[in-house]
Amino acid sequence: MSKIELPENIASLSAYSSAKSEKLTGTTWLNANESPYSRRVNLNFDALNRYPDPQPDAVISAYANYSGLNPEQVLMTRGADEGIELLVRTFCEPGKDSIALFLPTYGMYKVTADTHNVGITALEQNLLQQGSATDILKAVGKAKLVFICNPNNPTGATVSTDKIASIAAALKDKALVVVDEAYIEFCEQLSAASLLSDFDNLVVLRTLSKAFALAGLRTGFTLAAPDVLAPVRKVIAPYPVSAVVAQIAQEALTPDAITQMRRQVSILNKAKEKLIEVLGSSDKITKVMTGQGNFVTVQVRQVNDIKQAMQSGLIMRPFTLFNEDNWLRISIGSEQELEQVRLWLTQPQAEK
């Protein structure tokens, strides 16, 4: 074993446990908020011996057009996760600065801050939902970045664009407000992208992993004012986007492909409504969070019922929320996959 001493923040780091990091076996996978729609792509390359364009113009222009922005407001990244990491690395000084987040929320904000020895101001979702912009301004203190996952993973809670605007206004010249819109296609009317022209301290994170059904591509976008992106462009790796990824992403952002994506989103949203009805009438479920996104988070009466589902090959995502370990996030899959959830719900409750 190497005798090289680790920095204290890395030695004590609790790594993010992704759905795919757990080596599970199953037949129905509803644990990672993936789309059930697989995409077929046609690839054609004759210059893989050359380095790719660091920021492929065709993809940047296509995503700018899709999001209603200018190309200079768009940075392509390796998933939205790289966007999180770049913002922390660019704007926060290790051992000095901090970020603010509203718990429970996506775990990578904390892991990224811990990795870079950046402090965390841990606030509650209730403050974000119920508090005023002035309340939030006081609570975030001197945090450099304020992360708002909208819709929030894993609760599905949302924040209106008016509320985002008021928070950005309150934090002007004090902090960057980072709105993570990984699931925004499932409720497009709530996007904060339209606010970017009004607030130069606002950043929006996007991904092709969810509604665009390209989780395996690891493609995201950081949207912000050019002055905000300028220092980030200095920090990002020299060739973050492979030629293969760029070609597939460009194809996914054509008008026909976007129309298809929205059609699929509509189908998934309707399937979610039906699933919520079934969950609400089940004796196995004590609470259903009916927020936005391609998932439903529920509280299960008995933890053993979750184990029963896993043993049958139905893989969903267990969570500990509000200091209780009987929470479960269910991704919205195909009709056949969701039928397995319904079958599980009709099985006799597992013994304690």
Side-chain angles (χ1 to χ4, degrees):
M1 180 181 292
S2 172
K3 295 182 183 287
I4 298 175
E5 186 176 354
L6 288 171
E8 184 179 341
N9 64 303
I10 300 300
S12 61
L13 179 68
S14 295
Y16 178 71
S17 178
S18 68
K20 291 301 179 72
S21 65
E22 302 170 20
K23 301 301 182 181
L24 303 172
T25 58
T27 55
T28 302
W29 297 90
L30 298 175
N31 63 331
N33 294 347
E34 298 158 326
S35 171
Y37 298 101
S38 60
R39 297 182 60 91
R40 290 185 176 275
V41 296
N42 297 312
L43 301 177
N44 182 21
F45 295 99
D46 56 8
L48 286 178
N49 57 315
R50 304 299 182 187
Y51 284 109
D53 186 340
Q55 291 291 305
D57 290 339
V59 182
I60 296 298
S61 294
Y63 201 84
N65 185 62
Y66 164 68
S67 54
L69 300 174
N70 298 317
E72 54 268 26
Q73 295 173 290
V74 179
L75 181 74
M76 190 174 180
T77 60
R78 290 167 287 196
D81 287 341
E82 187 182 29
I84 297 168
E85 194 269 343
L86 286 169
L87 290 168
V88 171
R89 192 148 55 97
T90 302
F91 292 100
C92 296
E93 184 176 340
K96 176 183 175 181
D97 290 326
S98 63
I99 68 168
L101 43 83
F102 301 90
L103 300 172
T105 194
Y106 182 44
M108 276 304 296
Y109 311 137
K110 181 181 186 306
V111 171
T112 302
D114 288 344
T115 300
H116 293 282
N117 195 24
V118 168
I120 296 170
T121 301
L123 307 172
E124 295 185 356
Q125 275 288 318
N126 282 344
L127 173 63
L128 179 60
Q129 298 295 321
Q130 307 297 332
S132 67
T134 301
D135 295 332
I136 292 170
L137 168 64
K138 293 177 181 177
V140 301
K142 295 183 178 180
K144 278 279 194 75
L145 305 174
V146 179
F147 283 92
I148 299 174
C149 190
N150 192 40
N152 185 51
N153 176 18
T155 65
T158 59
V159 184
S160 70
T161 51
D162 287 344
K163 184 71 171 283
I164 297 291
S166 65
I167 294 171
L171 291 170
K172 182 176 174 60
D173 299 326
K174 296 180 176 67
L176 287 179
V177 178
V178 184
V179 185
D180 186 343
E181 295 188 344
Y183 301 94
I184 201 63
E185 279 79 14
F186 296 93
C187 50
E188 286 186 311
Q189 73 280 5
L190 294 177
S191 175
S194 62
L195 300 176
L196 289 174
S197 59
D198 299 322
F199 299 99
D200 58 7
N201 65 326
L202 185 65
V203 180
V204 174
L205 300 177
R206 293 280 189 85
T207 182
L208 298 187
S209 295
K210 310 303 182 184
F212 280 89
L214 286 171
L217 199 64
R218 304 308 300 126
T219 296
F221 298 90
T222 299
L223 314 178
D227 287 349
V228 172
L229 291 182
V232 180
R233 294 183 192 277
K234 294 195 294 184
V235 173
I236 195 171
Y239 298 105
V241 182
S242 79
V244 176
V245 166
Q247 189 175 117
I248 297 173
Q250 183 179 345
E251 183 179 311
L253 291 167
T254 61
D256 285 349
I258 291 172
T259 297
Q260 182 184 32
M261 176 273 290
R262 287 178 170 144
R263 186 181 304 118
Q264 292 169 351
V265 164
S266 178
I267 293 170
L268 292 174
N269 278 342
K270 289 176 182 176
K272 177 178 176 178
E273 291 175 6
K274 293 179 181 178
L275 178 62
I276 287 173
E277 290 181 12
V278 174
L279 291 165
S281 61
S282 172
D283 291 337
K284 289 188 177 182
I285 306 299
T286 58
K287 185 172 183 179
V288 181
M289 291 186 173
T290 57
Q292 301 290 340
N294 66 333
F295 58 87
V296 180
T297 298
V298 299
Q299 188 174 34
V300 180
R301 193 174 300 278
Q302 297 177 188
V303 174
N304 282 346
D305 283 325
I306 300 176
K307 296 178 181 177
Q308 179 191 68
M310 305 279 268
Q311 291 168 356
S312 72
L314 173 58
I315 310 300
M316 300 171 285
R317 187 78 190 271
F319 273 99
T320 296
L321 288 180
F322 314 114
N323 297 317
E324 297 172 305
D325 64 356
N326 60 338
W327 289 88
L328 189 67
R329 193 190 66 198
I330 308 170
S331 305
I332 305 303
S334 66
E335 181 61 34
Q336 293 79 10
E337 290 169 332
L338 295 179
E339 180 60 26
Q340 298 306 307
V341 178
R342 297 184 187 98
L343 289 174
W344 165 63
L345 292 172
T346 61
Q347 293 173 357
Q349 286 191 342
E351 294 183 5
K352 293 184 180 179

